[in-house]
Amino acid sequence: MTDYLFDKKNKPEGTIVNVGDTVIGKDSFTVIAGPCSAESEEQVMYMARFLKSKGLEIMRASVYKPRTSPYSFQGLGEDGLKLLQQAREETGIRVETEVMDVRLVENTLRYVDMIRIGSRNMQNYDLLKEVGKTRAPVILKRGLSATIDEFLFAAEYVLNEGNPNLVLCERGIRTFEQQAYRNTLDLAAIPVLKSRTHLPVIVDPSHAAGIAYLVTPLSIAAAAIGADGLLVEVHPKPEEALSDREQALSPVQLEHLLSDLRPICKINARQINF
Ligand code: PEP
Ligand code: MN
C-alpha cells in the first residue's frame, strides 16, 4: 500500500503549524476570525483592534473573492492586501487571506502571514503545488462536494512539494438541503481526518451554516468533537457587509461565542488561543 505523507503514522505526535507566536494543532484551540472580505480601512482596522483586544491573534479577511456571480463584490485586490499589512503593523495581529491564482501567491505572501485555498480551488492542482513550494502556513478548505479521500489527496499535493505547514478546514459539504442552511457541516469528518492524518483540523462554521444563529452551536459541536480551532466570519456591522452578511457574527456575538467555547476547551484539555 502506498505510503502517503499525510498519514498519521508518519507523525503520530501531530503537526503543529506556527503562525507568528500562535500555535495551531496539538493541545491548542485556535480561533481565527474576521470579515468575509476586507472592505475599507475603517472596517479592517476596527476588526483588527477588536480581535486583538479579545486575545485573538490571527485575522481572516479575503481580498480576492470567489463569488458565484461575476456581478457580486469581487474584493479589493492588492489595495486590500495593503490594508491587511497596515493592520498587522499597527496592531501586531497576524493576517490570513485567500489566494485563487497561482500568479498571485508570491505577491500575496509579501503582505500576509497565512494563506487559504478556498473550497472552489481544493482541486486546483497547480495552485496546491505553488503553495506547496512555499513554507507559508496554509489553510486548505474541503471542496464543496469533495470526499475525504479527495480532500486528503489535495493535502498530499501541498505536502509533496515540501510545505509541512498545512491546516485542513472542514467547511460543510453540499447535500440535498438547500433552504434551512447553506451547506451541511460534516462533523464526522473531524475525527476521521484526525485519525487518518497528523494535520491540524479546523472548522469553518460560517460557510457551513450560512446563517449567523447557527454559527455558535456548530462551533461548540466542532470544539467538542475534537477540532483544533475555528475560522469564523465576523463583521463590525453584519447588515452592511459586502459579502456573506447573513452568516457574519457581530462583535458582541463573537464575544459570546468565545465565552461559550471556554468550558468545552477546558473539558478537552485544550489550551485556548484567545
Ligand atoms: C471564505 O472562507 O472566504 C470562503 C470563500 O469560503 P469557502 O471557500 O469555504 O466557500
Ligand atoms: Mn465568506
Side-chain angles (χ1 to χ4, degrees):
M1 215 177 96
T2 317
D3 193 11
Y4 294 108
L5 296 167
F6 63 71
D7 281 344
K8 178 113 182 168
K9 67 174 184 303
N10 289 328
K11 214 174 181 186
E13 72 282 14
T15 287
I16 292 176
V17 175
N18 292 289
V19 184
D21 295 333
T22 300
V23 166
I24 306 178
K26 193 110 171 136
D27 304 324
S28 296
F29 190 82
T30 309
V31 178
I32 303 170
C36 180
S37 308
E39 298 172 359
S40 66
E41 180 178 351
E42 192 190 3
Q43 177 234 25
V44 170
M45 293 310 298
Y46 175 91
M47 267 335 311
R49 291 197 186 97
F50 173 78
L51 296 173
K52 258 298 207 188
S53 76
K54 298 299 156 202
L56 272 66
E57 294 294 343
I58 312 173
M59 176 170 75
R60 64 149 288 144
S62 301
V63 303
Y64 302 111
K65 294 300 304 168
R67 302 309 298 278
T68 302
S69 163
Y71 307 118
S72 302
F73 175 59
Q74 299 288 307
L76 296 181
E78 190 153 3
D79 288 343
L81 291 177
K82 289 179 183 154
L83 293 179
L84 298 186
Q85 186 180 45
Q86 183 186 339
R88 188 191 194 198
E89 282 169 6
E90 289 185 23
T91 71
I93 202 157
R94 301 289 166 161
V95 290
E96 180 267 11
T97 203
E98 175 164 358
V99 185
M100 297 197 290
D101 188 328
V102 175
R103 296 164 297 182
L104 296 176
V105 172
E106 196 183 332
N107 191 50
T108 301
L109 281 172
R110 282 200 253 277
Y111 297 96
V112 304
D113 302 285
M114 184 173 210
I115 48 182
R116 171 176 8 109
I117 296 187
S119 284
R120 289 157 193 79
N121 278 304
M122 190 205 80
Q123 288 179 312
N124 181 337
Y125 297 116
D126 286 341
L127 186 58
L128 295 169
K129 285 192 249 182
E130 191 72 13
V131 300
K133 287 188 188 119
T134 76
R135 294 297 173 268
V138 175
I139 294 177
L140 175 63
K141 299 186 91 174
R142 183 178 181 182
L144 275 75
S145 303
T147 64
I148 298 287
D149 277 351
E150 286 165 344
F151 191 17
L152 290 174
F153 283 125
E156 188 76 4
Y157 268 90
V158 178
L159 299 175
N160 190 39
E161 295 293 332
N163 189 351
N165 300 310
L166 184 60
V167 176
L168 302 177
C169 180
E170 161 61 37
R171 48 77 76 205
I173 48 174
R174 187 164 279 192
T175 65
F176 49 79
E177 181 53 60
Q178 302 282 302
Q179 291 271 303
Y181 32 85
R182 188 171 176 181
N183 292 289
T184 301
L185 181 63
D186 183 7
L187 279 172
I190 300 156
V192 168
L193 292 169
K194 300 265 322 165
S195 70
R196 288 189 58 190
T197 85
H198 50 80
L199 300 168
V201 179
I202 64 170
V203 167
D204 172 350
S206 306
H207 291 88
I211 314 165
Y213 86 93
L214 291 173
V215 169
T216 293
L218 294 183
S219 299
I220 290 170
I225 208 167
D228 296 298
L230 299 172
L231 180 69
V232 183
E233 288 189 345
V234 51
H235 192 281
K237 291 181 187 154
E239 66 286 357
E240 292 176 16
L242 296 182
S243 54
D244 286 347
R245 69 175 59 139
E246 296 81 9
Q247 69 198 35
L249 297 184
S250 66
V252 173
Q253 287 172 320
L254 181 73
E255 279 188 78
H256 289 154
L257 170 60
L258 296 178
S259 54
D260 288 351
L261 288 167
R262 280 177 208 284
I264 296 151
C265 290
K266 204 169 166 194
I267 293 168
N268 284 352
R270 291 275 185 165
Q271 287 228 289
I272 300 175
N273 272 335
F274 52 84

